[in-house]
Amino acid sequence: RRRGRPYRGRRWLASSMLRNHKLVFSSLLFLVVILGVELWVFSMETKQRARALRLQVLALLQIGIALCVRHVWRRVTRGYGALGLLGWSSSVLSAVARALLLCYLLMAQVAIFTGLFLISEEPLAPVLLANFSLGTVLFFTVASTTVDVSYLLYRAVCCRVCGKNQQQSCYGEEEKERVFRTKLVLSLLATLLMAGTGLWGVLRLEIEQVSIPLKGLDPSLNGTTIVQLSDIHLSGFNGRGSLAMLVNEVNRLDADVVVITGDLVDSSVLSLRKTVAPLSDLRSKYGTFFSTGNHEYYTGDVHNWIQELPNFGVTPLINRRVCLLGGSGSVAVGAEG
């Protein structure tokens, strides 16, 4: 720097710190509060700590959903002006459209609670609609973020190739509106595509056959078939009917062993006892076995589930294994951890 001139970089840094001191202080205060809460939670007894941790996870999920809902609201409501509300300029129609959008986004916000509390043997319409709205909100957030990042990369390349004049000309108001309309349409189309693909995946059952070579396997056990089921997630939006269909498909395979490897349920025994009843219809040569997943622990009722599942012909394997005899050989099925 030249003699006699102040060092502008240092002055700018000091002024920026002064301007943002409130933000820094509030961030530090927030971190201190979070640390204090975590220390308090881990000082609780086991059951109370598990309940507190579940509440924390639920709170974090709600915060994340709220941010996605806010993003969708800002994008779509701004899009009313950009798209001309499909050619309608009436303020009444615009208000009705905003009210419908608000109701739709509120359903997304409470979707988790509907799955927890509105539980029946078959999914209720409000639960299905709320979870569909949550899915589309998440899909739109991912799609619009991807489109924004792609556009920024595109502009960076264009500005590098075309030079400064092209960069300055791309910031006009008309150009901004045109770009916004294009990004909004692409985001909506991507959301519809992902939602349609998701629905198709939910309604379609795909069976994958995998051969597993085992060195030293007794010849009498060669060709033993194992059906693995995972992440069924019985809850308010996945009920008894879908489980019964799955059980019928498994029985058609005529398996030697059926294993359910976690995340069978998303709620308590009291809420889902009738929903899991089709498990008693599972047929296999050596039986049906179950190992817990993280969602069984999220329910806060994992111990009751371990005691309840044998009533439906399902054997829980908790840090133990079972030897299955076949001819002159045997194979062990177990779970640890």
Side-chain angles (χ1 to χ4, degrees):
R1 65 183 177 88
R2 295 182 182 178
R3 183 175 299 177
R5 290 190 176 184
Y7 185 33
R8 294 184 178 179
R10 186 173 298 173
R11 289 178 56 191
W12 177 86
L13 180 60
S15 61
S16 297
M17 292 182 64
L18 289 175
R19 285 196 303 267
N20 297 327
H21 72 282
K22 293 183 178 180
L23 178 61
V24 173
F25 176 76
S26 59
S27 299
L28 290 175
L29 181 61
F30 178 76
L31 291 176
V32 169
V33 171
I34 292 297
L35 180 61
V37 171
E38 292 301 322
L39 292 175
W40 174 62
V41 168
F42 280 96
S43 66
M44 297 178 177
E45 296 180 356
T46 303
K47 292 185 178 180
Q48 294 178 343
R49 186 193 313 145
R51 188 179 298 110
L53 289 175
R54 287 196 298 271
L55 290 175
Q56 286 182 331
V57 171
L58 182 60
L60 289 175
L61 290 175
Q62 288 301 306
I63 292 173
I65 295 173
L67 293 175
C68 294
V69 165
R70 179 177 179 270
H71 173 78
V72 174
W73 172 263
R74 295 184 65 180
R75 285 296 179 93
V76 177
T77 52
R78 181 186 170 189
Y80 286 162
L83 298 177
L85 196 62
L86 302 179
W88 297 335
S89 59
S90 171
S91 59
V92 176
L93 291 176
S94 178
V96 171
R98 288 173 181 268
L100 292 175
L101 175 62
L102 181 61
C103 293
Y104 189 79
L105 296 179
L106 287 177
M107 284 191 296
Q109 188 67 56
V110 301
I112 294 179
F113 294 103
T114 62
L116 291 175
F117 300 110
L118 298 180
I119 299 178
S120 62
E121 291 187 39
E122 297 298 335
L124 301 175
V127 178
L128 294 176
L129 184 58
N131 282 274
F132 179 80
S133 64
L134 176 59
T136 53
V137 165
L138 297 178
F139 288 151
F140 182 86
T141 303
V142 172
S144 59
T145 303
T146 304
V147 170
D148 288 343
V149 172
S150 301
Y151 177 70
L152 289 175
L153 294 175
Y154 166 76
R155 285 198 48 82
V157 173
C158 288
C159 293
R160 177 64 66 89
V161 173
C162 300
K164 186 176 181 181
N165 292 332
Q166 177 69 17
Q167 181 180 3
Q168 291 177 344
S169 64
C170 289
Y171 282 94
E173 291 299 326
E174 294 183 0
E175 179 69 15
K176 286 183 179 180
E177 288 301 316
R178 186 185 69 82
V179 170
F180 177 79
R181 287 195 299 268
T182 303
K183 292 195 296 184
L184 180 60
V185 171
L186 290 175
S187 300
L188 291 173
L189 291 176
T191 300
L192 292 175
L193 178 62
M194 288 188 287
T197 304
L199 287 175
W200 173 253
V202 169
L203 299 175
R204 178 170 169 263
L205 178 63
E206 182 177 355
I207 300 175
E208 182 179 0
Q209 296 185 358
V210 180
S211 298
I212 305 176
L214 295 177
K215 185 178 180 180
L217 182 68
D218 190 274
S220 63
L221 294 174
N222 187 30
T224 299
T225 56
I226 302 174
V227 173
Q228 180 191 11
L229 303 175
S230 182
D231 296 274
I232 299 176
H233 292 286
L234 295 173
S235 59
F237 52 88
N238 191 18
R240 179 169 179 160
S242 60
L243 179 61
M245 293 176 59
L246 182 62
V247 168
N248 290 334
E249 291 295 327
V250 172
N251 290 337
R252 291 178 185 176
L253 298 175
D254 193 22
D256 294 320
V257 183
V258 177
V259 292
I260 305 174
T261 54
D263 292 355
L264 171 65
V265 294
D266 281 343
S267 190
S268 64
V269 172
L270 183 62
S271 300
L272 294 175
R273 180 178 282 111
K274 294 181 179 180
T275 304
V276 301
L279 289 177
S280 58
D281 297 328
L282 281 171
R283 297 192 306 270
S284 60
K285 183 177 181 180
Y286 296 113
T288 302
F289 301 91
F290 169 77
S291 64
T292 55
N294 58 319
H295 280 251
E296 276 76 34
Y297 289 93
Y298 290 163
T299 65
D301 205 25
V302 62
H303 298 292
N304 289 331
W305 275 118
I306 293 172
Q307 296 176 2
E308 183 71 19
L309 287 176
N311 297 330
F312 301 100
V314 179
T315 303
L317 298 178
I318 309 298
N319 295 326
R320 70 187 185 97
R321 62 182 181 178
V322 176
C323 288
L324 308 177
L325 300 178
S328 59
S330 64
V331 63
V333 178
E336 295 182 0

